[in-house]
């Protein structure tokens, strides 16, 4: 079987969507073939002029006329889904459309885009939702495609955490004066909906009772300056550490050093947490997580089993969850161990085979 993935976002393009497609292709079953067309060389979007996606039409028309593919995978419902939908009236192609969450939310916010999105899905053979929350939104909006919806979550490469030298872990503790401290950790892009501000507010409530608690934020982003200013306003200077230049090895080290991982993501309009691969990375290190009730997070975190789900708008709820975990070492250990044991269902090799098998069912 030969599949063609067409996507605007693909490595080395940075971001969660590009990372998702890159890993999916890398883990694709070797007995089948998957070919990728992306926009690195401007093959899909014209740099100027009306309807920039017109170049996608030309590229795909030429590709499909020259080579045989059994199935097309569409990385973005708009605009690429429009192109494939139009081509499906001319060429005998079967296709599936990926939906991550925000893409569906943006389409749903505008009647014209929603009209078009429904027609694209209506002619599709598969609708591939990256999380169960998006799957439910699609089924409610377009019940006729419910039987074609399949959930393919993001994944991880290994169940076990990467090896980090004990000397390196000790050096990080020494560099940031963390001996005998409890460590609360957030890893990710610092944008408003990730909830770093609410965790900072929770820290101001916790410090009088846990003076050796430290909050490490690993990441950069447009909300970083505001969060730094908030930390100063709350008097958290010594208790909060921002790290903006950590490489993958250092990020892995912080997961191992942390006692609790927290990302209290919240929804902001049509933008919500699509999944939260960082929750799995924390579980991979055997750590419990605190997560905000937003979008697809419930696929990554099982409340009371692998972590604690909280109201992301409430700093009091976040503080209460942190306090509960700090006071109960056995609960921390149980949540972390259960989370790590659950990781096998998120291996990329499993996710790729799941999608491959669904495609074969509709061919």
């Amino acid at each position: 079987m030969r599949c063609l993935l067409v996507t605007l976002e693909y490595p080395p393009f940075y971001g969660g969507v590009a990372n998702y497609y890159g890993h999916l292709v890398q883990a694709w079953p070797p007995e089948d073939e998957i070919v990728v067309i992306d926009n690195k060389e401007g093959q899909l979007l014209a740099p100027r002029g009306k309807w920039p996606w017109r170049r996608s039409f030309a590229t795909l028309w030429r590709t499909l006329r020259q080579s045989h593919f059994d199935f097309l995978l569409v990385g973005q419902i708009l605009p690429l889904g429009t192109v494939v939908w139009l081509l499906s009236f001319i060429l005998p192609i079967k296709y599936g459309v990926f939906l991550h969450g925000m893409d569906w939310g943006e389409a749903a916010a505008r009647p014209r885009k929603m009209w078009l999105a429904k027609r694209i899905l209506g002619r599709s053979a598969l609708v591939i939702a990256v999380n169960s929350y998006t799957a439910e939104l699609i089924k409610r909006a377009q019940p006729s495609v419910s039987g074609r919806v399949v959930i393919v979550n993001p994944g991880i490469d290994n169940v076990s955490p990467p090896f980090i030298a004990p000397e390196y872990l000790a050096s990080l503790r020494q560099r940031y004066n963390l001996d005998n401290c409890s460590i609360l950790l957030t890893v990710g892009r610092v944008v408003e909906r990730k909830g770093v501000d609410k965790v900072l507010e929770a820290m101001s409530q916790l410090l009088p009772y846990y003076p050796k608690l430290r909050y490490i934020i690993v990441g950069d982003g447009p909300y970083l300056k505001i969060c730094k200013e908030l930390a100063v306003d709350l008097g958290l200077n010594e208790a909060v550490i921002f790290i903006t230049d950590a490489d993958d090895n250092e990020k892995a080290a912080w997961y191992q050093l942390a006692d609790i991982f927290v990302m209290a993501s919240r929804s902001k309009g049509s933008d919500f947490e699509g999944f939260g691969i960082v929750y799995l990375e924390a579980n991979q290190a055997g750590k419990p997580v605190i997560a905000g009730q937003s979008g697809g997070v419930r696929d990554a975190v099982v409340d009371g089993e692998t972590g604690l789900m909280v109201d992301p708008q409430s700093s009091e709820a976040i503080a209460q969850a942190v306090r509960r975990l700090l006071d109960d070492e056995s609960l921390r250990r149980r949540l972390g161990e259960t989370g790590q044991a659950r990781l096998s269902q998120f291996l990329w090799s499993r996710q790729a085979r799941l999608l491959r098998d669904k495609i074969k069912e509709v061919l």
Side-chain angles (χ1 to χ4, degrees):
M1 181 182 70
R2 296 190 80 217
C3 290
L4 175 65
L5 168 64
V6 54
T7 174
L8 298 175
E9 299 178 60
Y10 194 76
F13 190 92
Y14 179 78
V17 174
N19 185 63
Y20 177 91
Y21 294 136
H23 278 96
L24 199 61
V25 169
Q26 190 175 24
W28 201 253
E31 61 269 22
D32 294 297
E33 183 181 4
I34 186 166
V35 176
V36 179
I37 296 179
D38 58 39
N39 196 47
K40 283 198 292 288
E41 298 177 3
Q43 299 179 82
L44 298 177
L45 293 180
R48 59 183 66 86
K50 194 174 183 180
W51 299 330
W53 51 264
R54 68 188 186 276
R55 185 168 291 180
S56 302
F57 193 97
T59 297
L60 286 176
W61 172 264
R62 183 173 58 252
T63 301
L64 295 173
R65 296 280 289 179
Q66 292 175 351
S67 303
H68 169 75
F69 291 96
D70 298 291
F71 200 82
L72 268 67
L73 292 164
V74 183
Q76 289 78 28
I77 189 169
L78 298 173
L80 297 183
T82 307
V83 175
V84 175
W85 174 64
L86 291 171
L87 284 170
S88 72
F89 289 97
I90 307 169
L91 299 172
I93 57 175
K94 284 192 172 185
Y95 66 89
V97 181
F98 286 97
L99 285 159
H100 295 260
M102 187 176 177
D103 43 9
W104 180 254
E106 290 179 346
R110 298 189 178 185
R112 181 184 63 83
K113 287 188 175 183
M114 192 58 167
W115 179 90
L116 183 56
K118 285 186 174 182
R119 273 138 191 86
I120 293 167
L121 297 187
R123 285 185 67 84
S124 70
L126 281 179
V127 180
I128 307 146
V130 172
N131 58 72
S132 60
Y133 181 76
T134 300
E136 290 172 7
L137 293 178
I138 295 164
K139 290 176 183 179
R140 284 202 298 267
Q142 195 171 359
S144 60
V145 305
S146 294
R148 304 176 219 163
V149 176
V150 57
I151 299 169
V152 182
N153 291 135
I156 56 171
D157 292 319
N158 298 291
V159 172
S160 301
F163 173 76
I164 304 294
E167 297 80 9
Y168 181 61
L169 296 175
S171 71
L172 286 178
R173 279 194 177 276
Q174 184 177 19
R175 186 190 312 170
Y176 294 103
N177 298 313
L178 296 173
D179 287 337
N180 302 313
C181 290
S182 297
I183 298 175
L184 195 61
L185 173 69
T186 295
V187 176
R189 186 162 166 75
V190 185
V191 296
E192 183 177 355
R193 70 168 178 81
K194 295 291 186 180
V196 172
D197 53 351
K198 292 298 180 181
V199 180
L200 290 170
E201 292 175 9
M203 280 291 294
S204 69
Q205 301 167 38
L206 290 162
L207 273 178
Y209 306 96
Y210 305 92
K212 297 291 285 183
L213 180 62
R214 298 294 180 263
Y215 181 29
I216 312 295
I217 300 113
V218 180
D220 201 349
Y223 208 56
L224 179 65
K225 183 174 183 291
I226 293 173
C227 288
K228 285 184 173 181
E229 291 171 352
L230 178 60
V232 172
D233 292 342
L234 293 171
L236 301 175
N237 306 55
E238 295 183 4
V240 177
I241 301 168
F242 293 90
I243 301 172
T244 60
D245 58 352
D247 58 19
D248 289 343
N249 189 63
E250 184 175 347
K251 288 178 184 177
W254 282 117
Y255 281 121
Q256 295 191 25
L257 287 171
D259 295 285
I260 302 165
F261 180 85
V262 58
M263 189 169 76
S265 295
R266 58 182 181 260
S267 300
K268 186 182 179 187
S270 62
D271 189 10
F272 55 82
E273 192 66 49
F275 182 76
I277 197 69
V278 289
Y279 299 120
L280 300 189
E281 291 172 348
N283 283 159
Q284 187 183 47
K287 302 306 164 71
V289 303
I290 297 172
Q293 297 164 342
S294 171
V297 170
R298 66 185 181 187
D299 289 4
V301 181
V302 181
D303 189 27
E305 294 185 21
T306 69
L308 302 178
M309 299 281 282
V310 299
D311 176 359
Q313 301 285 358
S314 171
S315 59
E316 291 80 10
I318 297 168
Q320 184 178 3
V322 173
R323 183 180 291 112
R324 182 181 172 191
L325 290 175
L326 287 175
D327 291 346
D328 193 338
E329 182 181 355
S330 65
L331 177 61
R332 293 201 308 271
R333 186 184 307 110
R334 177 173 65 80
L335 295 178
E337 289 175 352
T338 303
Q340 191 174 46
R342 181 173 174 256
L343 291 179
S344 59
Q345 73 184 67
F346 294 105
L347 288 171
W348 274 117
S349 56
R350 183 183 183 277
Q351 305 301 77
R353 286 191 178 276
L354 168 65
L355 179 55
R356 190 278 310 269
D357 291 346
K358 289 293 182 181
I359 292 171
K360 287 191 172 183
E361 287 178 14
V362 301
L363 288 179

